[in-house]
């Protein structure tokens, strides 16, 4: 629990320091506009790209194909858009990396590993209607 609290506190302080440094470099108003613009972009990405990813998962299921890759892409797209919507430059950088197809390939094995680990320990619940 302490690690989580100190990790979150460190993250917040680092984001705040970055905002101050960028504010001094380019000015307060451009910094605020940049934060607002990336938040709006993140919301747009979650809404549009996320829905397209969900459609690709549905299409894979309708074609009786394993939706593994489509599900991972959907998760990474949603996570990237969500991180862009959060204020701060660290989250923006990570969000952009999750959205770019080239760098997304680097994150896919991590997600697959995490999913396999959850399934191995019976921490995944599949609901069937």
């Amino acid at each position: 629990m302490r690690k989580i609290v100190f990790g979150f506190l460190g993250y917040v302080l680092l984001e705040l320091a970055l905002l101050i440094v960028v504010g001094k470099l380019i000015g307060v108003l451009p910094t605020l506009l940049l934060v607002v613009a990336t938040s709006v972009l993140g919301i747009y990405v979650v809404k549009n790209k996320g829905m397209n990813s969900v459609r690709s998962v549905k299409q894979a299921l309708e074609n009786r194909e394993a939706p593994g890759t489509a599900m991972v892409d959907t998760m990474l797209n949603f996570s990237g858009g969500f991180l862009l919507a959060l204020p701060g430059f660290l989250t923006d950088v990570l969000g952009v990396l999750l959205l770019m197809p080239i760098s997304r390939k680097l994150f896919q094995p991590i997600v697959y590993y995490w999913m396999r680990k959850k399934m191995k320990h019976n921490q995944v619940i599949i609901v069937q209607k």
Side-chain angles (χ1 to χ4, degrees), residues 33-46:
L33 290 175
L34 189 59
V35 169
V36 170
T38 57
S39 295
V40 170
L41 178 66
I43 293 167
Y44 175 79
V45 166
V46 166

Side-chain angles (χ1 to χ4, degrees), residues 98-117:
L98 289 175
L99 291 172
M100 291 174 50
I102 294 170
S103 58
R104 190 179 325 139
K105 299 276 186 209
L106 299 172
F107 290 101
Q108 285 175 341
I110 298 168
V111 174
Y112 280 121
Y113 173 78
W114 177 76
M115 289 173 65
R116 283 188 194 104
K117 187 176 171 184

Side-chain angles (χ1 to χ4, degrees), residues 36-121:
V36 170
T38 57
S39 295
V40 170
L41 178 66
I43 293 167
Y44 175 79
V45 166
V46 166
K47 183 179 177 188
N48 291 326
K49 197 167 186 176
M51 290 309 296
N52 290 339
S53 297
V54 169
R55 283 189 202 107
S56 68
V57 170
K58 284 183 179 181
Q59 186 177 14
L61 289 172
E62 288 173 359
N63 294 338
R64 298 192 181 267
E65 299 171 355
T69 306
M71 286 178 67
V72 170
D73 279 342
T74 300
M75 188 172 122
L76 291 174
N77 282 333
F78 179 78
S79 299
F82 180 76
L83 287 171
L84 271 177
L86 292 175
F89 293 116
L90 289 177
T91 56
D92 291 346
V93 169
L94 185 57
V96 167
L97 288 174
L98 289 175
L99 291 172
M100 291 174 50
I102 294 170
S103 58
R104 190 179 325 139
K105 299 276 186 209
L106 299 172
F107 290 101
Q108 285 175 341
I110 298 168
V111 174
Y112 280 121
Y113 173 78
W114 177 76
M115 289 173 65
R116 283 188 194 104
K117 187 176 171 184
K118 293 291 182 188
M119 288 179 167
K120 185 176 181 181
H121 296 287

